[in-house]
């Protein structure tokens, strides 16, 4: 007899480390560690969430029909080719679950989002990293890493934690260079922040191919990370697969109601985008003035490089002691870097006061 043992790969997983915060009574932390919207959710989403409360004895709409219709309407997409999930994390996981098994490879770029490797391992597949060039995904390196066992290529565009993005032409070159059997998953968690003319969320590739999918989330610009809701736009055959593997009630009713209210309020979303853009510029230049190397970001966070690993660790620790939380990115192979979410003007100012004090000391 022997004790229960998990499947191969499971014990190789390094559990995901969420952004730090404080639960100490009486402390109002400045949480800049999880790329959340610092202004909170849309009040209309909060109202819809509260309205939904009285019906919590009913199971949610298993097909999330009204939400898919709303997304389809606002984004100009076919609602039948949208599937909703408990965060885009769940959809990423289900995609790996459905298409990659033991011996298969899941490919992503060197500083890509950690969840790709976690899901690959949890389904027995092998995570493979392609080197980046100047903290940017490198299409040639990704293509060179493809083998007959590659099942999915994930690319966060823009990427977390680097804040960089690939133009539409590079994403198309990646798709064109990938074999037909490989799914390209465009993880567009930060797409709503983008206004670069050479950027595309990749909808045109999803429409033009049978093997490209796009993931989106309500956790970032919409400020609804606590509700766990995201969606995927994909070709019909992949949507069909996703519906087979997801649990029927994967998105709760309050999340569906709140997300409908949020996505319909496009003016409010645009306001959030502009507020972030202004503060991103302010914060980036203040961090530069403080002597840190700032990588250009198009997101609601910025990656900075310290003098060395020790300085990064110390700064993260010093700020945490003052209840200001930023992200340690050593598990992204960036031990001398720190990822800082863009906060409100007051939060950013306070952060910079403290960073300047710590670095000047
Ligand atoms: C935040 C984030 C997600 C997912 O978030 P969910 O809350 O699961 O929707 C996915 N990909 C990237 C790159 C992210 O930064």
């Amino acid at each position: 007899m022997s004790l229960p043992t998990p499947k191969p790969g499971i014990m190789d997983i390094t559990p995901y480390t969420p952004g730090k915060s404080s639960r100490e009574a009486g402390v109002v932390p400045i949480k800049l560690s999880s790329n959340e919207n610092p202004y909170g959710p849309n009040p209309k989403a909060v109202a819809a969430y509260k309205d939904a409360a009285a019906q919590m004895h009913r199971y949610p709409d298993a097909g999330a029909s009204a939400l898919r219709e709303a997304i389809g309407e606002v984004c100009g997409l076919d609602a039948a080719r949208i599937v909703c999930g408990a965060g885009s994390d769940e959809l990423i996981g289900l995609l790996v679950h459905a298409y990659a098994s033991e011996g298969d490879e899941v490919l992503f770029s060197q500083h890509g989002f950690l969840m790709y490797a976690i899901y690959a391992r949890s389904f027995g597949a092998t995570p493979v990293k392609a080197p980046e060039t100047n903290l940017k995904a490198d299409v040639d390196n990704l293509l060179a890493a493809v083998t007959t066992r590659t099942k999915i290529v994930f690319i966060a565009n823009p990427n977390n934690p680097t804040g960089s993005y690939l133009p539409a032409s590079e994403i198309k070159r990646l798709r064109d260079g990938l074999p037909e059997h490989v799914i390209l998953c465009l993880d567009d968690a930060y797409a709503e922040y983008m206004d670069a003319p050479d950027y595309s969320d990749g909808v045109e590739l999803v429409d033009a191919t049978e093997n490209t999918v796009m993931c989106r989330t309500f956790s970032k610009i919409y400020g609804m990370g606590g509700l766990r809701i995201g969606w995927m736009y994909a070709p019909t055959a992949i949507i069909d697969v996703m519906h087979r593997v997801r649990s029927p009630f994967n998105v709760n009713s309050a999340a569906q109601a709140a997300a409908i209210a949020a996505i319909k309020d496009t003016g409010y979303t645009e306001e959030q985008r502009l507020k972030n853009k202004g503060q991103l510029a302010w914060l980036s230049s203040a961090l530069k003035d403080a002597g840190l190397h700032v990588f250009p970001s198009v997101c609601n966070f910025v990656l900075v490089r310290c003098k060395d690993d020790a300085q990064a660790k110390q700064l993260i620790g010093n700020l945490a002691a003052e209840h200001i939380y930023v992200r340690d990115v050593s598990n992204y192979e960036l031990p001398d870097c720190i990822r800082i979410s863009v906060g409100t003007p007051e939060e950013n100012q306070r952060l910079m006061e403290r960073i300047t004090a710590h670095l000047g000391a």
Side-chain angles (χ1 to χ4, degrees), residues 19 21 37 77 94 116 122 146 170 189-190 222 226 247 261 299 304 307 309 315 338 347 357 361:
S21 189
N37 183 332
L77 302 174
L94 289 173
Y116 311 145
S122 81
V146 172
E170 280 295 278
Y190 303 93
Y222 295 104
S247 83
C299 300
V304 297
K307 208 170 60 195
D309 301 8
L315 186 53
I338 304 177
E347 289 174 331

Side-chain angles (χ1 to χ4, degrees), residues 8-171:
I10 304 286
M11 296 313 288
D12 300 328
I13 295 174
T14 308
Y16 185 80
T17 325
K20 283 214 168 67
S21 189
S22 167
R23 301 201 187 278
E24 228 173 278
V27 171
V28 182
I30 296 183
K31 186 168 185 264
L32 304 174
S33 55
S34 297
N35 302 344
E36 297 151 338
N37 183 332
Y39 305 99
N42 186 325
K44 288 181 186 160
V46 176
Y49 176 88
K50 286 182 177 160
D51 278 352
Q55 291 297 314
M56 68 169 81
H57 58 303
R58 302 291 181 200
Y59 276 95
D61 171 2
S65 324
L67 174 56
R68 289 187 299 101
E69 295 289 338
I71 295 169
E73 211 177 291
V74 172
C75 303
L77 302 174
D78 177 6
R81 287 199 285 138
I82 294 170
V83 58
C84 296
S88 47
D89 273 359
E90 184 193 27
L91 297 165
I92 291 166
L94 289 173
L95 191 71
V96 180
H97 174 47
Y99 287 93
S101 41
E102 228 167 295
D104 291 335
E105 293 168 2
V106 171
L107 176 62
F108 47 93
S109 74
Q110 185 182 359
H111 307 292
F113 189 46
L114 282 178
M115 290 311 300
Y116 311 145
I118 291 180
Y119 283 125
R121 289 204 168 92
S122 81
F123 297 111
T126 306
V128 179
K129 284 185 194 178
E132 297 194 3
T133 306
N134 300 325
L135 294 201
K136 217 184 227 195
D138 184 308
V139 169
D140 295 309
N141 291 346
L142 282 162
L143 290 175
V146 172
T147 74
T148 52
R149 301 312 303 261
T150 307
K151 286 296 164 69
I152 309 174
V153 175
F154 282 103
I155 184 139
N157 200 32
N159 186 49
N160 166 18
T162 54
S164 60
Y165 75 100
L166 290 185
S169 56
E170 280 295 278
I171 297 289

Side-chain angles (χ1 to χ4, degrees), residues 150-199:
T150 307
K151 286 296 164 69
I152 309 174
V153 175
F154 282 103
I155 184 139
N157 200 32
N159 186 49
N160 166 18
T162 54
S164 60
Y165 75 100
L166 290 185
S169 56
E170 280 295 278
I171 297 289
K172 176 154 192 320
R173 192 164 75 81
L174 174 60
R175 178 66 271 178
D176 289 347
L178 289 172
E180 215 176 8
H181 74 272
V182 175
I183 293 177
L184 173 62
C185 179
L186 303 168
D187 179 359
D188 291 348
Y190 303 93
E192 293 83 2
Y193 291 103
M194 296 298 292
D195 60 0
D198 62 350
Y199 174 78

